[in-house]
């Protein structure tokens, strides 16, 4: 089955941008194709994929679409946009850049925001230097597939010393006909001492079978600061596989905020490499699943150089018959003395049919480090529920309120009030009696 | 107002209350005293409707209604208030919004219009003075990071806002220094009127110097062994509980 799926997907590697023209890119694609053909897609026999069965994605024979006018783009786009947020915006529909919906005018000097297809056509030298720099396609079949089919996505360049304060919102929407696949490749390069905030939003229409396979590479040069937000609000029948690769040079600072609410089957991997001394990373995550949703987060933080710091906080809310998976790994390499790394994962189970598997892992090869990790799985606190009820709060409202408060602990870390507000609304919308608890977060 | 008849309550199959009778009329303050493990807090929790307390026998009638059949929130709407022995910290839930939701739930139940933000705020400002609580505690998460004294004041403040008809104060005096105790007592006394009743659950006579009870009951072994007026509390302070238990055994 896996082989069949590999063939099916690879047969679509035709007419890709720069094909048979941009040699270095062809090399990456070729290497990735080779990787995919050799390793195939992951199965549950692989430890990393033990709890997540991707055969549904492979059986459905998702296919890349051609760029075409989609009637309901406006509708879905208007719901995907973050209200009142002043930002640059790049929109992709079914994986294809949509110029009419995008808006990146008046960019300051030293900032370049472009879609990948166009960047390829200009055969930029920098692109050659950074794209797939660390051979990410070797990680797993989905990244290999993504690399084989590299076509479009966002490319963001921030030159050295440029502090770019207006956030960039990349919006990826899926709509149209069933069985559409979107293959998205994003590249963000933050030059020395530069700064940029990027928000990736994924949305799709409900009751539509589609597949988003997205890879984002972020390179932080010395002293760069990047805030990265990923808001995953795929439609209820959408499949989402996302990989984020971050490489950090010395004194760089990376903050990640991942919020996963939508989708039918969701798998997100984050690979953070603290390659330079004194680099630091802070990772926040919230995953929420209901009905029969399946959401899986795998994070790896590699402390490669001395004096690097990481702090990771992930929370999960699992209701109904949903399933959550969290695997958080910290690796402290042998030269990474004076590393400080902390990881915590807390899960709230709202139903006796919901399930979560969590595994925090520490691998330490240096001797002078400060590390901690922990995971909890719990239910709503009876004492808190009773207390609220004695204050005339109905049981269901009290449950929603406590659930919201649990999720809010992550949301409140986001420093854009507009994003917080949106996420609060989204989270609340998933809870019973949301209109009543709305008052609490005014 | 409240009539408890022959109440038997088990917790984890253990008999805690074994035939408790108590009548509380409107406008009365009742003190329930007794040694550790006598069932005082069980009584308070059963009245507020906490899960996990199995009522084996007996009845609780409150304002003509069967209290046992009501959920905790319905009881709160009917005017029952429990000031917790250990007020619960609830991270992420704003103190003042909780109170606003609470009071509007009660008002809705009574068929009154909800308070708007302005009305609510003026009520809050009014009531917070009663317990001399710092205003910045209003916008914090419920009880989170409050000192022991602040938590107890917050309980009385909530009570002042919700204006219950039956308030059960479960060891509100424990952990309070004398100044805080006076403030809390003053808050409670200010709320007393002929329509309101209070059940004070306490270990010590100390609180009763400031909130003078009409009736004092000694609870031991799950029953009320002796009832009297505030003089009984003085006597208990002096002689302890053993003589009451012995007297009861002899009878």
């Amino acid at each position: 089955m896996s082989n069949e799926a590999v063939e099916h997907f690879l047969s679509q590697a035709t007419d890709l941008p720069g094909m048979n023209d941009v040699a270095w890119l062809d090399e990456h694609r070729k290497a990735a194709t080779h990787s995919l053909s050799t390793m195939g897609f992951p199965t549950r026999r692989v430890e990393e994929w033990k709890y997540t069965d991707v055969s549904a994605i492979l059986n459905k024979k998702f296919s890349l679409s051609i760029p075409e006018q989609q009637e309901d783009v406006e509708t879905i786009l208007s719901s995907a946009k973050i209200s009142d947020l002043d930002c640059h915006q790049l929109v992709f529909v079914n994986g294809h850049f949509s110029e009419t919906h995008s808006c990146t005018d008046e960019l300051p000097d030293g900032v370049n925001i472009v879609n990948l297809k166009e960047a390829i056509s200009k055969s930029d030298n920098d692109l050659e230097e950074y794209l797939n720099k660390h051979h990410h396609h070797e990680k797993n079949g989905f990244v290999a597939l993504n690399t084989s089919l590299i076509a479009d996505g966002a490319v963001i360049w921030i030159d050295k010393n440029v502090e770019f304060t207006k956030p960039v919102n990349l919006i990826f929407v899926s709509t149209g006909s069933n069985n559409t696949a979107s293959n998205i490749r994003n590249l963000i390069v933050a030059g020395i001492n530069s700064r940029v905030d990027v928000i990736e939003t994924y949305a799709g229409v409900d009751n539509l079978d589609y597949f988003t396979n997205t890879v984002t590479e972020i390179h932080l040069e010395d002293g760069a600061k990047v805030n990265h937000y990923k808001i995953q609000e795929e439609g209820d029948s959408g499949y989402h596989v996302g990989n984020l690769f971050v490489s950090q040079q010395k004194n760089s600072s990376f903050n990640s905020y991942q919020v996963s609410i939508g989708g039918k089957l969701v798998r997100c991997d984050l690979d953070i490499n603290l390659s330079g001394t004194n680099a630091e990373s802070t990772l926040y995550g919230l995953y929420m699943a209901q009905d029969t949703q399946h959401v899986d987060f795998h994070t790896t933080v590699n402390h490669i150089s001395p004096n690097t710091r990481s702090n990771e906080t992930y929370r999960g809310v699992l209701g109904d018959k949903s399933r959550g998976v969290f695997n958080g790994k910290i690796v402290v390499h042998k030269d990474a003395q004076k590393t400080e790394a902390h990881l915590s994962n807390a899960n709230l189970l709202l139903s006796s049919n919901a399930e979560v598997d969590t595994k925090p892992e520490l691998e330490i090869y240096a001797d002078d480090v400060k590390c901690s990790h922990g995971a909890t799985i719990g239910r709503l606190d009876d004492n808190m529920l009773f207390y609220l009820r004695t204050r005339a709060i109905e049981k269901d409202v009290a449950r929603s309120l406590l659930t919201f408060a649990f999720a809010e602990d992550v949301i409140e870390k986001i420093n854009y009030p507009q994003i917080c507000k949106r996420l609060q609304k989204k989270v609340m919308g998933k809870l019973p009696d949301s209109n009543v608890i709305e008052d609490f977060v005014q | 107002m409240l009539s408890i008849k022959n109440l038997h309550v088990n917790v984890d199959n253990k008999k805690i209350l074994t035939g408790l009778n108590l009548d509380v009329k409107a406008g009365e303050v009742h003190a329930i005293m007794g040694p550790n493990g006598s069932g005082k807090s069980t009584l308070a929790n059963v009245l507020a409707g906490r899960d996990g307390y199995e009522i084996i026998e007996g009845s609780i009638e409150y304002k003509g209604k069967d209290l046992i059949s009501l959920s905790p929130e319905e009881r709160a709407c009917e005017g029952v208030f429990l000031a917790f022995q250990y007020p619960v910290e609830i991270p992420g839930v704003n103190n003042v919004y909780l109170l606003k939701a609470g009071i509007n739930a009660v008002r809705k139940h009574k068929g009154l219009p909800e308070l708007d933000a302005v009305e609510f705020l003026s009520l809050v400002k009014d009531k917070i003075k009663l317990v001399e609580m710092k205003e910045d505690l209003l916008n914090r998460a419920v009880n989170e990071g409050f000192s022991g004294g602040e938590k107890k004041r917050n309980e009385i403040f909530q009570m002042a806002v919700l204006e219950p008809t039956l308030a059960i104060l479960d060891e509100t005096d424990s952990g309070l220094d004398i100044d805080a105790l006076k403030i809390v007592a003053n808050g409670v006394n200010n709320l007393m009127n002929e329509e309101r009743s209070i059940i004070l659950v306490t270990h010590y006579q100390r609180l009763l110097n400031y909130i003078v009870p009409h009736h004092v009951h000694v609870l031991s072994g799950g029953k009320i062994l002796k009832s009297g007026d505030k003089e009984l509390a003085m006597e208990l302070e002096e002689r302890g509980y053993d003589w009451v238990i012995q007297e009861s055994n002899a009878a």
Side-chain angles (χ1 to χ4, degrees):
Chain A
M1 178 193 69
S2 182
N3 280 342
E4 213 178 298
V6 168
E7 277 171 35
H8 164 74
F9 277 116
L10 290 179
S11 69
Q12 301 177 46
T14 53
D15 275 342
L16 297 170
M19 219 173 183
N20 304 322
D21 184 27
V22 182
W24 64 266
L25 186 55
D26 279 339
E27 284 304 310
H28 283 295
R29 288 193 182 119
K30 208 172 120 190
T33 301
H34 178 73
S35 285
L36 180 56
S37 307
T38 325
M39 62 184 166
F41 287 104
T43 67
R44 292 186 58 189
R45 285 191 298 275
V46 182
E47 179 67 22
E48 296 279 286
W49 294 80
K50 193 170 160 188
Y51 300 109
T52 297
D53 183 357
V54 297
S55 55
I57 298 176
L58 308 180
N59 289 337
K60 292 216 181 235
K61 301 269 189 289
F62 288 107
S63 299
L64 298 176
S65 69
I66 50 160
E68 57 187 354
Q69 208 73 25
Q70 300 290 350
E71 279 170 15
D72 53 356
V73 170
E74 298 293 346
T75 322
I76 181 135
L77 203 52
S78 69
S79 76
K81 280 184 192 169
I82 300 158
S83 311
D84 305 321
L85 183 71
D86 184 23
C87 59
H88 297 281
Q89 182 178 298
L90 250 57
V91 173
F92 297 81
V93 179
N94 295 340
H96 304 289
F97 179 61
S98 169
E99 194 168 359
T100 47
H101 296 105
S102 300
C103 165
T104 59
D105 47 16
E106 294 172 50
L107 289 176
D109 285 347
V111 175
N112 189 14
I113 301 173
V114 66
N115 64 306
L116 179 61
K117 195 173 173 181
E118 192 181 329
I120 293 169
S121 73
K122 288 178 178 163
S123 60
D124 199 317
N125 284 340
D126 289 333
L127 193 63
E128 181 177 352
E129 187 187 339
Y130 285 100
L131 191 66
N132 201 35
K133 185 175 181 177
H134 301 294
H135 305 282
H136 300 304
H137 58 266
E138 290 163 6
K139 178 173 166 124
N140 64 46
F142 289 101
V143 185
L145 172 67
N146 182 284
T147 310
S148 297
L149 301 178
I150 280 180
D152 216 345
V155 180
I156 300 173
W157 302 103
I158 311 293
D159 281 357
K160 69 174 177 183
N161 299 327
V162 175
E163 295 213 3
F164 189 44
T165 49
K166 192 168 169 177
V168 186
N169 192 5
L170 311 175
I171 305 179
F172 306 93
V173 298
S174 292
T175 179
S177 46
N178 273 323
N179 296 331
T180 300
S182 294
N183 193 74
I184 296 154
R185 184 73 170 222
N186 301 312
L187 175 68
I188 301 164
V189 180
I192 295 169
N193 294 328
S194 69
R195 190 211 143 150
V196 65
D197 290 4
V198 180
I199 305 148
E200 291 183 33
T201 304
Y202 293 84
V205 293
D206 284 336
N207 301 313
L208 180 75
D209 270 356
Y210 68 90
F211 170 42
T212 305
N213 185 23
T214 175
V215 172
T216 298
E217 288 176 67
I218 305 179
H219 300 270
L220 290 90
E221 297 299 345
D222 294 358
K225 189 170 177 356
V226 174
N227 290 317
H228 180 258
Y229 305 81
K230 179 173 165 186
I231 303 170
Q232 186 277 106
E233 295 172 3
E234 300 278 19
D236 59 10
S237 301
Y239 294 82
H240 181 100
V241 177
N243 279 270
L244 174 67
F245 297 96
V246 179
S247 76
Q248 294 186 241
Q249 302 309 316
K250 69 177 187 211
N251 300 324
S252 63
S253 161
F254 177 70
N255 294 319
S256 161
Y257 307 84
Q258 294 259 337
V259 177
S260 175
I261 295 175
K264 181 189 176 83
L265 175 70
V266 176
R267 163 74 182 228
C268 293
D269 286 44
L270 283 81
D271 285 51
I272 316 293
N273 286 303
L274 296 158
S275 306
T277 55
N278 208 31
E280 66 178 347
S281 250
T282 308
L283 315 176
Y284 290 106
L286 171 67
Y287 45 93
M288 225 179 145
Q290 289 175 306
D291 302 323
T292 56
Q293 277 181 291
H294 180 111
V295 56
D296 177 348
F297 268 88
H298 269 63
T299 71
T300 307
V301 179
N302 280 303
H303 288 261
I304 296 159
S305 287
N307 287 309
T308 47
R309 295 172 299 283
S310 70
N311 204 330
E312 179 171 356
T313 309
Y314 266 68
R315 288 201 161 189
V317 179
L318 293 313
D320 305 324
K321 290 180 173 174
S322 68
R323 180 83 186 259
V325 183
F326 177 82
N327 190 299
K329 195 192 231 178
I330 297 169
V331 186
V332 182
H333 295 246
K334 71 177 187 340
D335 294 332
Q337 300 296 358
K338 306 275 184 202
T339 281
E340 192 172 337
H342 304 284
L343 160 67
S344 81
N345 171 236
N347 296 280
L348 182 58
L349 295 181
L350 297 177
S351 123
S352 52
N353 294 319
E355 205 179 319
V356 67
D357 292 282
T358 173
K359 190 165 88 175
E361 290 180 82
L362 265 177
E363 275 179 37
I364 303 177
Y365 302 101
D367 48 22
D368 183 12
V369 301
K370 209 189 272 180
C371 296
S372 69
H373 69 323
T376 60
I377 300 170
R379 297 182 186 281
L380 290 171
D381 185 290
D382 284 338
N383 276 328
M384 294 184 191
L385 277 175
F386 178 59
Y387 189 89
L388 293 173
R389 295 176 74 190
T390 63
R391 272 42 174 168
I393 309 295
E394 279 175 47
K395 188 179 180 180
D396 286 347
V397 176
R399 285 179 62 87
S400 291
L401 200 51
L402 292 176
T403 307
F404 179 79
F406 180 83
E408 169 73 359
D409 205 45
V410 168
I411 297 173
E412 70 178 14
K413 301 296 190 301
I414 293 173
N415 40 21
Y416 285 100
Q418 302 91 334
I419 301 179
C420 288
K421 209 166 172 188
R422 176 193 182 78
L423 292 173
Q424 285 168 341
K425 274 206 170 140
K426 283 279 167 188
V427 168
M428 253 186 275
K430 299 275 173 190
L431 302 171
D433 296 301
S434 54
N435 55 323
V436 186
I437 67 167
E438 222 165 82
D439 275 356
F440 283 80
V441 293
Q442 281 171 348
Chain B
M1 151 114 35
L2 179 74
S3 174
I4 304 175
K5 290 203 166 69
N6 191 31
L7 188 64
H8 291 253
V9 174
N10 283 10
V11 179
D12 294 333
N13 289 323
K14 211 176 134 199
K15 290 175 184 168
I16 307 291
L17 297 183
T18 56
L20 184 140
N21 294 290
L22 181 67
D23 273 291
V24 177
K25 294 193 176 65
E28 290 182 345
V29 176
H30 288 243
I32 311 277
M33 303 182 73
N36 286 331
S38 58
K40 299 191 300 293
S41 282
T42 296
L43 175 63
N45 281 312
V46 165
L47 288 174
R50 191 192 277 267
D51 284 343
Y53 293 83
E54 198 188 347
I55 294 163
I56 306 295
E57 211 184 318
S59 65
I60 308 175
E61 198 185 286
Y62 167 72
K63 293 203 289 195
K65 289 189 171 122
D66 171 22
L67 192 70
I68 296 168
S69 67
L70 301 181
S71 67
E73 56 270 33
E74 286 168 333
R75 295 178 199 205
C77 286
E78 289 287 344
V80 176
F81 181 87
L82 172 65
F84 281 60
Q85 183 180 2
Y86 304 108
V88 184
E89 295 194 14
I90 312 182
V93 175
N94 181 294
N95 208 15
V96 74
Y97 285 129
L98 165 64
L99 216 45
K100 188 171 176 227
I103 192 168
N104 280 332
V106 173
R107 289 179 68 90
K108 197 172 155 196
H109 182 80
K110 287 182 182 164
L112 297 170
E114 295 194 353
L115 293 183
D116 64 29
V118 180
E119 291 166 323
F120 175 70
L121 218 64
S122 87
L123 176 72
V124 160
K125 297 231 159 152
D126 192 31
K127 300 288 187 183
I128 200 166
K129 287 185 202 136
L130 267 183
V131 290
E132 299 177 31
M133 200 169 93
K134 285 181 262 167
E135 278 195 29
D136 62 343
L137 296 180
L138 286 175
N139 275 311
R140 296 247 297 267
V142 178
N143 294 320
E144 196 183 30
F146 287 29
S147 72
E150 284 169 342
K151 283 181 185 169
K152 294 294 175 85
R153 283 188 211 195
N154 195 28
E155 294 292 288
I156 302 305
F157 164 63
Q158 292 183 354
M159 174 177 132
V161 172
L162 293 173
E163 301 189 319
T165 44
L166 173 67
I168 305 132
L169 275 54
D170 189 5
E171 304 208 13
T172 298
D173 50 340
S174 68
L176 289 185
D177 62 34
I178 197 74
D179 292 330
L181 184 70
K182 279 186 196 165
I183 292 164
V184 163
N186 187 38
V188 174
N189 286 329
N190 262 299
L191 293 169
M192 268 314 289
N193 62 27
E194 64 276 10
E195 281 149 24
R196 223 163 255 166
S197 311
I198 291 180
I199 297 175
L200 296 172
V201 173
T202 181
H203 259 301
Y204 304 105
Q205 188 267 336
R206 196 177 65 153
L207 177 68
L208 308 182
N209 288 335
Y210 303 99
I211 307 172
V212 182
H214 300 95
H215 301 276
V216 174
H217 310 277
V218 178
L219 179 60
S220 180
K223 275 191 185 106
I224 287 176
L225 298 186
K226 194 176 179 68
S227 299
D229 57 15
K230 68 181 167 79
E231 299 302 322
L232 175 59
M234 306 293 273
E235 201 174 349
L236 291 169
E237 180 79 359
E238 216 164 281
R239 298 173 62 192
Y241 293 111
D242 282 352
W243 65 276
V244 183
I245 297 165
Q246 278 160 14
E247 208 174 72
S248 158
N249 287 343

